[in-house]
């Protein structure tokens, strides 16, 4: 599988029975349907990428699903943490998180609450 953001190879995440993938270059994560909930407690071990690199790639958001060939991913905002922007496939329901986003998604802190108050709208 190729990373939908930087086109580098993806590697399987060897945690639990995960079928999810991590980019070898930008550290982005492709999580299959429902694995965002399954792997949430393991976010520190799963999302090992540099959050600064992830922030750079967060602006690349018109991408295709790495599983469903030419299907465009839907740009999403986490309902509980609107500062987290991820992409999701409307066919296979997989999700792409940039490096650092999944760690942030897994823990909602007071700082996140403050960031959410000023989160820009995703257009």
């Amino acid at each position: 599988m190729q990373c939908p953001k930087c086109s580098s190879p993806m590697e399987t995440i060897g945690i639990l029975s995960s079928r999810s993938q991590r980019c070898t270059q930008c550290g982005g994560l492709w999580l299959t349907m429902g694995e965002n909930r399954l792997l949430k407690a393991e976010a520190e071990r799963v999302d090992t990428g540099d959050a600064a690199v992830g922030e750079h790639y967060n602006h690349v958001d018109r991408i295709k699903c790495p599983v469903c060939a030419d299907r465009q991913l839907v740009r999403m905002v986490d309902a509980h943490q609107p500062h987290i922007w991820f992409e999701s496939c409307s066919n296979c329901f997989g999700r792409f998180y940039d490096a650092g986003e999944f760690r942030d998604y897994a823990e909602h802190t007071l700082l996140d609450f403050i960031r959410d108050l000023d989160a820009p709208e995703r257009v």
Side-chain angles (χ1 to χ4, degrees), residues 29-49:
L29 299 172
W30 176 255
L31 304 181
T32 59
M33 183 175 75
E35 288 198 332
N36 59 308
R37 287 186 214 100
L38 176 69
L39 296 173
K40 193 173 186 177
E42 301 294 329
E44 291 292 326
R45 291 178 48 205
V46 171
D47 187 359
T48 58

